[in-house]
Amino acid sequence: MKLIKGKFDEELRLQLAPAIKAGFPSPAEDYATESLDFNRDLIRHPEATFYAMVDGDSMESIGICNGDIAVIDKSLEPQHGDVVVAFIDNEFNIKRLDMTHKKDGYIELKSTTPGYPSFRIDENNHFEVWGVVVYSIKKWRR
């Protein structure tokens, strides 16, 4: 996973169009109603947020694909079902957090795409959650 440093102190205003339907076509408005600033509107904790380039396709089935950019917030407390960036035995991984076995002394980090392994994490692993994935950014045109 390649880490990308963000510039959160700069304003980045883009025009925000009205909601775009993904179903049947409807008449579109000819103007934007307001602006969207990614730093202001999407990043809640700028001092604790970083970007990482996704490398691999083990999370593809939930839409996180190779080459996407993950927006990760280190200040959030990881919860069951969150997609997290974890440091497991000296390696970064992006996986879904499964805490259903916590009472049994372990948790799991699960790939969502069939054919990829899950990681069983117990007291013998060097393990740390680095942050919770709050957004993924996808480039459609290569």
Side-chain angles (χ1 to χ4, degrees), residues 1 14 16 18 24 38 56 63-64 70 82 86 106 116 124 126 128:
M1 184 167 283
L14 303 174
L16 179 63
F24 292 105
F38 282 104
I64 300 174
D82 281 344
Y106 70 96
Y116 286 89
N124 298 318
H126 176 113
E128 182 179 354

Side-chain angles (χ1 to χ4, degrees), residues 44-45 48-50 71-76 130-134:
R44 289 191 338 199
H45 308 108
T49 301
F50 64 99
V71 181
I72 301 137
D73 189 333
K74 290 183 73 160
S75 71
L76 298 177
W130 271 51
V132 176
V133 176
V134 290

Side-chain angles (χ1 to χ4, degrees), residues 8 19-20 29 37 44 47 51 54 62-65 77 83-84 99 119-120 129 133 136 142:
F8 301 109
I20 299 172
E29 296 186 37
D37 180 340
R44 289 191 338 199
E47 67 287 347
Y51 303 105
V54 176
I62 61 168
I64 300 174
C65 303
E77 185 69 31
V83 175
V84 299
M99 297 177 62
F119 296 92
R120 181 180 164 148
V129 171
V133 176
S136 63
R142 305 263 180 218

Side-chain angles (χ1 to χ4, degrees), residues 34-118:
E34 58 185 282
S35 65
L36 171 70
D37 180 340
F38 282 104
N39 295 330
R40 180 195 68 211
D41 299 329
L42 301 182
I43 308 299
R44 289 191 338 199
H45 308 108
E47 67 287 347
T49 301
F50 64 99
Y51 303 105
M53 185 75 66
V54 176
D55 181 19
D57 55 3
S58 69
M59 302 299 287
E60 194 172 81
S61 67
I62 61 168
I64 300 174
C65 303
N66 188 53
D68 288 354
I69 296 172
V71 181
I72 301 137
D73 189 333
K74 290 183 73 160
S75 71
L76 298 177
E77 185 69 31
Q79 298 178 9
H80 174 74
D82 281 344
V83 175
V84 299
V85 171
F87 192 66
I88 312 162
D89 298 329
N90 299 314
E91 185 174 281
F92 285 103
N93 276 277
I94 183 169
K95 300 286 181 247
R96 186 173 302 280
L97 180 63
D98 181 344
M99 297 177 62
T100 57
H101 301 286
K102 192 171 182 180
K103 66 183 178 319
D104 300 321
Y106 70 96
I107 62 171
E108 289 184 302
L109 294 170
K110 294 190 170 186
S111 300
T112 61
T113 301
Y116 286 89
S118 294

